[in-house]
Amino acid sequence: LEAVAKKAGSGILGIRTTAAVTNFFGGSSESTGEGSGIIYTADGYIITNYHVIESAVESSNSKIEVFLADNTETGIEATVIGYNIASDLAVVKVDKKDLPAIDFADSDKLSVGQYAIAIGNPGGLEFIGSVSSGIISGLNRSVTVGTGNTMSLIQTDAAINPGNSGGALVDINGKLIGVNSVKLVSTGYEGMGFAIPSNTVKEICDNIIAKQND
């Protein structure tokens, strides 16, 4: 687990959105939100959940910053490349080169019971790079996400909390098997986290990048 955290951790980052909010009386204030992201390519493409950047997308006066694992104090401004609301995925880009992109595993070859490690920022940037471990509890789980769309997700008992959204679920080799997306939160339920399978993530995000959200 220590080796996995070291290998994959540099490819996981923090995301902060700042959006202007106009109130009923015409005054404005700033609303901020924090989540996680995954470095997809060395030249700056970053994967996250759509709901992590949703407030910035919906506001005409907004900003998205990413915070790399090796420099958590300095935000780098990012631009939205595109998003797929139904799958709760989005791609943003920063103007940087030689970033430590994460390796992908084939999520079609996953097995129930194998190790799963979650890396992200539960609770926001204050806890950036947190690691939790568990197993894959189930595959092909039909879960209705916040958008109202039903997705086929990986179920894990690795701890996933608010702020982990957009972060990585990796295997014992440090390769991405899923993007942490939603958590079943209800009285009596514990240890039920969900992730979008890596093959689904790759297909959708490649399409977003190719079409630039056309």
Side-chain angles (χ1 to χ4, degrees), residues 19-198:
V21 178
T22 303
N23 61 34
F24 180 76
F25 300 102
S28 64
S29 60
E30 285 190 341
S31 171
T32 62
E34 296 179 345
S36 306
I38 301 164
I39 299 173
Y40 186 40
T41 64
D43 60 347
Y45 285 101
I46 294 161
I47 296 168
T48 188
N49 287 141
Y50 170 71
H51 74 260
V52 170
I53 65 163
E54 182 176 6
S55 62
V57 169
E58 292 179 343
S59 172
S60 58
N61 186 12
S62 62
K63 179 171 66 172
I64 300 173
E65 296 173 288
V66 302
F67 296 80
L68 300 178
D70 62 356
N71 185 357
T72 59
E73 301 298 322
T74 305
I76 305 167
E77 193 153 351
T79 56
V80 177
I81 296 299
Y83 45 85
N84 184 313
I85 296 175
S87 63
D88 195 25
L89 288 169
V91 177
V92 302
K93 191 174 190 302
V94 294
D95 186 17
K96 276 185 81 70
K97 305 292 185 184
D98 302 319
L99 294 174
I102 200 162
D103 294 327
F104 272 64
D106 184 350
S107 57
D108 288 340
K109 295 181 179 179
L110 297 177
S111 300
V112 172
Q114 77 177 71
Y115 283 116
I117 300 97
I119 307 176
N121 316 315
L125 297 177
E126 182 182 356
F127 302 105
I128 192 168
S130 293
V131 178
S132 59
S133 69
I135 60 169
I136 292 175
S137 307
L139 297 168
N140 304 314
R141 300 299 202 201
S142 292
V143 177
T144 302
V145 296
T147 58
N149 188 53
T150 300
M151 299 183 64
S152 181
L153 302 177
I154 299 165
Q155 180 189 339
T156 179
D157 66 350
I160 297 173
N161 295 287
N164 269 117
S165 287
L169 191 70
V170 300
D171 63 15
I172 203 67
N173 298 308
K175 293 185 177 182
L176 186 77
I177 57 177
V179 174
N180 300 322
S181 182
V182 293
K183 185 180 181 183
L184 181 61
V185 180
S186 181
T187 304
Y189 288 89
E190 187 62 44
M192 292 182 72
F194 295 93
I196 306 167
S198 58

